[in-house]
């Protein structure tokens, strides 16, 4: 890339650190940015910076939010006695899109994977256990239907059952190994409705 001047090279390099962006895409994006109106570039970089600075974990469910509580946890109309456990905020968004779930969530930010060296202490499980000290009727484990998701579900079930709280697992309408965020809303809701006790 020696034929590019230093600042262009720097921009291309920064962009190429983003996931899914190879050298070619990084160059394309860099030149696109150079052709954007300056205010638009300022808006983009400003949004990135302020989101990075201000977004944190929700006090209750651990999803990303910029307040103390996310809009779902802060909503008194949601059923706070039903908690759906998901692997990440994108899965939570997928269930929200069905528009038919009125409980709250808990975002683990990962799944247990002995192969990848991810243990129970590496995901947001202790935060879930703290929440269960309040009145909770049911914990619905909606982790992905793959080895890591199933391992996590079994682990959670073993932890929670002794507390006398109902633990259920979403049905297998979700294809094995399927990432929840790519599944259509009807299938997703069916998996929720067809959940079974663990
Ligand atoms: Zn929340």
């Amino acid at each position: 890339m020696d034929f590019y001047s230093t600042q262009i090279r720097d921009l291309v390099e920064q962009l190429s650190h983003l996931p899914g962006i190879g050298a070619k895409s990084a160059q394309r994006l860099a030149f696109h940015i150079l052709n954007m109106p300056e205010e638009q570039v300022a808006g983009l970089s400003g949004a990135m910076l302020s989101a990075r600075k201000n977004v944190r974990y929700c006090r209750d469910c651990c999803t990303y939010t910029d307040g103390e509580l996310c809009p779902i946890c802060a909503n008194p109309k949601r059923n706070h006695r039903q908690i759906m456990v998901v692997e990440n905020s994108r899965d939570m968004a997928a269930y929200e899109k069905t528009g038919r779930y009125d409980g709250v969530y808990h975002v683990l930010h990962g799944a247990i994977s002995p192969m990848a060296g991810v243990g129970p202490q590496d995901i947001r499980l202790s935060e879930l256990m703290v929440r269960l000290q309040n009145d909770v009727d049911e914990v619905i484990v909606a982790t992905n239907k793959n080895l890591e998701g199933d391992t996590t579900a079994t682990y959670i079930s073993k932890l929670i059952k002794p507390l006398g709280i109902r633990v259920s697992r979403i049905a297998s309408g979700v294809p094995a190994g399927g990432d929840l965020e790519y599944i259509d809303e009807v299938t997703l809701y069916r998996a929720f409705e067809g959940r079974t006790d663990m």
Side-chain angles (χ1 to χ4, degrees):
M1 278 202 298
D2 282 350
F3 38 88
Y4 290 141
S5 64
T6 318
Q7 297 206 353
I8 299 175
R9 222 161 45 210
D10 191 32
L11 180 58
V12 172
E13 205 213 302
Q14 293 297 332
L15 290 166
S16 67
H17 293 155
L18 296 171
I21 307 288
K24 269 191 184 164
S25 306
Q27 289 180 57
R28 204 173 53 236
L29 282 171
F31 286 107
H32 178 81
I33 290 168
L34 291 174
N35 283 306
M36 276 160 64
E38 210 177 314
E39 320 81 76
Q40 216 181 319
V41 179
L44 173 66
S45 60
M48 285 163 67
L49 205 58
S50 81
R52 179 62 188 87
K53 266 190 194 154
N54 301 317
V55 172
R56 50 188 154 152
Y57 289 145
C58 168
R59 189 194 69 199
D60 284 358
C61 75
C62 298
T63 192
Y64 293 114
T65 184
D66 46 20
E68 195 188 2
L69 287 176
C70 74
I72 295 169
C73 289
N75 185 349
K77 287 187 187 137
R78 304 288 297 225
N79 177 3
H80 289 255
R81 300 172 68 107
Q82 194 176 41
I83 301 177
M84 186 189 288
V85 179
V86 292
E87 290 185 21
N88 56 52
S89 296
R90 296 187 307 279
D91 291 346
M92 172 175 168
Y95 269 102
E96 275 306 281
K97 273 193 224 144
T98 68
R100 294 164 74 181
Y101 174 68
D102 74 341
V104 293
Y105 298 88
H106 190 84
V107 181
L108 294 173
H109 294 282
I112 297 170
S113 171
M115 295 261 283
V118 181
Q121 71 286 349
D122 299 315
I123 58 176
R124 304 268 148 183
L125 255 184
S126 53
E127 287 86 346
L128 175 64
M129 299 312 286
V130 169
R131 291 178 77 184
L132 299 183
Q133 289 167 10
N134 302 317
D135 283 336
V136 173
D137 296 328
E138 183 184 4
V139 172
I140 303 150
V141 187
T143 50
N144 289 337
K145 287 277 183 171
N146 54 24
L147 182 62
E148 291 80 14
D150 287 339
T151 305
T152 308
T154 308
Y155 189 88
I156 290 175
S157 164
K158 277 188 190 149
L159 270 185
I160 296 178
K161 265 191 162 168
L163 305 176
I165 297 170
R166 181 184 173 197
V167 188
S168 59
R169 178 89 170 106
I170 51 164
S172 50
V174 179
D179 260 328
L180 285 186
E181 58 175 318
Y182 298 118
I183 293 158
D184 73 88
E185 286 138 40
V186 177
T187 311
L188 209 52
Y189 192 74
R190 251 187 233 140
F192 166 72
E193 274 190 321
R195 68 192 186 277
T196 47
D197 286 342
M198 287 189 82

